[in-house]
Amino acid sequence: MTESQWELLWTSLGPIVSGAVTGTIPLALTSFVLGLAIALGVALARLSRVRVVSGAARVYISVIRGTPLLVQLFVIFYGLPSLGLLIDPWPSAIIAFALNVGGYAAEVIRAAILSVPVGQWEAGHMIGMSRAQTLRRIILPQAARVSVPPLSNTFISLVKDTSLASLILVTELFRRAQQIATFSNEFMLLYLEAALIYWLICLVLSSGQNVLEKRLDRYVAH
């Protein structure tokens, strides 16, 4: 590489990292937290004995898992205005990502709940707990341990997927790289730099996931 290219890499590092800190990470965290709340509700709906409720949850999951995230994002940002509902880029991205996480994480949470032995429900009933109390105090804490690995993977994937928000003009990591690349005409260089930063972020998150799994594993009998 030429000296000017090295200089460009160095000078662009700050703005791109700033895009990650102020855009990518907050966007991923906010969407993930909201998505988990949606996923828990949908998972419980899937387990409901009321057919209409479980059926509606099943349709939601099918739609989310059966359509591309990019299409979901465009429907919210570009499609809803045709119905008179105009949403700014940031809220549009958060809604799309949260709904997407909700669809995928719901099945993870449902499977984790089902993995808890039926005897745990019976134990809660025996000591006078209602079904809701048993779920909150006994079942969900155990299901949470089981769901940590797949949910962590979902979050790491979400961090990478936030790059799609650049297509609706959300200023995050990849959007910053695009802007600098357009100005400097060094597309390959800037895109590789953005890819490297995404990779480093995911390495940190993967390391955190491993530490969390080991800590939780101490409380699981083998």
Side-chain angles (χ1 to χ4, degrees), residues 17-179:
V17 170
S18 176
V21 172
T22 62
T24 298
I25 295 175
L27 181 59
L29 283 173
T30 304
S31 301
F32 189 69
V33 171
L34 293 176
L36 284 183
I38 294 171
L40 178 58
V42 175
L44 295 178
R46 280 279 283 118
L47 295 171
S48 174
R49 297 171 183 173
V50 181
R51 288 190 176 183
V52 174
V53 174
S54 61
R58 189 179 294 109
V59 169
Y60 168 76
I61 293 171
S62 178
V63 170
I64 292 298
R65 293 166 69 98
T67 56
L69 175 55
L70 180 59
V71 174
Q72 297 165 16
L73 185 63
F74 273 35
V75 165
I76 292 172
F77 185 69
Y78 293 112
L80 291 182
S82 64
L83 302 177
L85 186 58
L86 182 63
I87 305 177
D88 290 336
W90 260 90
S92 294
I94 290 174
I95 292 170
F97 293 142
L99 290 174
N100 189 267
V101 169
Y104 282 91
E107 287 295 86
V108 172
I109 294 174
R110 184 178 73 90
I113 292 174
L114 290 175
S115 71
V116 179
V118 178
Q120 298 293 309
W121 289 97
E122 296 172 351
H125 179 71
M126 289 290 292
I127 61 177
M129 287 187 181
S130 66
R131 184 174 177 82
Q133 289 174 324
T134 303
L135 176 67
R136 185 174 68 254
R137 298 179 183 179
I138 299 177
I139 305 301
L140 288 182
Q142 296 181 65
R145 297 192 190 108
V146 177
S147 61
V148 163
L151 289 180
S152 298
N153 291 332
T154 299
F155 180 67
I156 292 173
S157 295
L158 176 62
V159 170
K160 295 179 289 183
D161 289 341
T162 56
S163 60
L164 294 175
S166 64
L167 297 175
I168 61 171
L169 309 181
V170 172
T171 303
E172 41 69 67
L173 190 161
F174 190 63
R175 177 69 175 169
R176 287 286 177 86
Q178 284 181 312
Q179 292 171 336

